[in-house]
Amino acid sequence: MSYESENKLPAGTSVKRLKEVVELLGYMSVKDGFKIPERVGCYFWHDPSEYKSWTGVELSIYYDEGALKLSTRTRVSRSYWDLTHQNKTIKMVRDIFGGTFVTDEGASRYLQPEHPPPSPLSSGCYLARWKFNNALLKARWYLSCRKLEGDAARDAPSPLSFLDEMNPRLLSNNLLVPFIIAVWEEYYRATFTAVLRYADKREVVLKKARLSHAQLEQIAAEKQIERAIAECFSFQRPSVIGDNFKMIDARLDLVGAMRKPHRRRKVTLSDSIESLVVARNAFVHAGDMDMSLFDKDLQTIMSDIVVAVDRSYEAIGSHFGFTTIHDY
């Protein structure tokens, strides 16, 4: 699903001037891989400042039965600011060149945001959660497409332990764990970056961050300073994650959220994920496989980290007073 518009320009409109206006609006010329004979321009707008854009605005200039037209498109997952810029584009093209326009709302009707704009902090935390969701989908898709055949790839322990060591299913499942932890770590690093950016007190974090010369050069080259600082810390173990966020605000207790009961288990989510990180390190650094990691256990791991991430996301939203967004 998407939100689309089409401006029909008057006869004699200069394509060159139209492109200049589009570029003044911040659009960049791109190649989308499609060869459309009547299209004379393909553009994309995205504003990462203050976490404004989520999916950006797509724009095309083309001829349709001799008439020059400009179309815009935002995806269903667009942000308030993406839609606002889409409306701004429609209006400016109409104001400068004249002509008519139509959107999904109807003729001469602008697109209407469904919700007021979230705060930059809320938007930054949502983007981290959204990217986590999209990344984890890759693992789920991999598992749905994976085809392991033969008795050696059994989805249960073998009576002979040495056969499990040759089980391709166990190797495949173990190979996914580093990816899952990487996705987990990136979620917390990206969230930490957003929280740090809008925090009132950052002195403790700045003192503990030991920026390298290379990182300082990246900051000088306009890399987000909060991201560079976040890269100084580890975000794998829940206990370490909790300590990192407490540097920003001592009252922000993410580990406490992960320690709440889950499905009447004796082992908390926090402790389960701590053990998963240990297993990940053993596999990555020494090649030691978890010989009990069959498909059901892997699905449990992915379910657990989603619950843990959502608890953290909700805890941050509650602490800073914003409503979490779950439209992925």
Side-chain angles (χ1 to χ4, degrees), residues 85-242:
H85 195 74
Q86 186 178 15
N87 280 333
K88 179 181 178 181
T89 303
I90 298 166
K91 184 178 187 303
M92 184 167 287
V93 170
R94 167 73 177 274
D95 290 347
I96 293 175
F97 298 100
T100 60
F101 74 87
V102 61
T103 71
D104 291 338
E105 298 285 345
S108 301
R109 295 175 63 88
Y110 293 101
L111 297 161
Q112 300 299 315
E114 297 175 5
H115 306 286
S119 68
L121 174 58
S122 172
S123 186
C125 291
Y126 165 73
L127 277 174
R129 179 62 183 85
W130 180 55
K131 291 175 182 177
F132 168 82
N133 180 75
N134 290 345
L136 203 59
L137 280 175
K138 297 175 184 177
R140 298 190 189 282
W141 180 247
Y142 165 77
L143 289 173
S144 69
C145 295
R146 183 181 66 175
K147 297 186 184 300
L148 298 172
E149 300 176 350
D151 295 338
R154 58 185 292 158
D155 190 18
S158 171
L160 302 174
S161 60
F162 75 89
L163 292 178
D164 286 339
E165 295 178 4
M166 303 301 294
N167 187 335
R169 185 180 302 275
L170 285 174
L171 177 59
S172 176
N173 288 349
N174 274 268
L175 284 168
L176 264 183
V177 172
F179 175 79
I180 292 170
I181 293 299
V183 169
W184 158 272
E185 185 174 15
E186 174 55 25
Y187 164 74
Y188 283 101
R189 179 169 284 114
T191 301
F192 183 88
T193 299
V195 173
L196 179 62
R197 181 173 180 81
Y198 302 104
D200 294 328
K201 297 180 180 180
R202 311 196 292 180
E203 293 82 0
V204 175
V205 180
L206 292 172
K207 287 179 181 178
K208 291 190 176 182
R210 297 181 179 180
L211 297 171
S212 67
H213 179 72
Q215 288 173 316
L216 291 172
E217 287 186 341
Q218 289 177 331
I219 293 171
E222 299 185 355
K223 181 176 182 178
Q224 189 181 37
I225 185 172
E226 292 84 7
R227 176 68 191 197
I229 292 171
E231 289 173 356
C232 295
F233 303 101
S234 173
F235 290 90
Q236 290 188 356
R237 296 176 182 270
S239 57
V240 175
I241 292 170

Side-chain angles (χ1 to χ4, degrees), residues 34-50:
F34 295 102
K35 294 183 178 180
I36 303 174
E38 299 298 317
R39 188 169 65 181
V40 294
C42 181
Y43 294 85
F44 183 70
W45 176 88
H46 184 268
D47 184 3
S49 66
E50 306 303 327

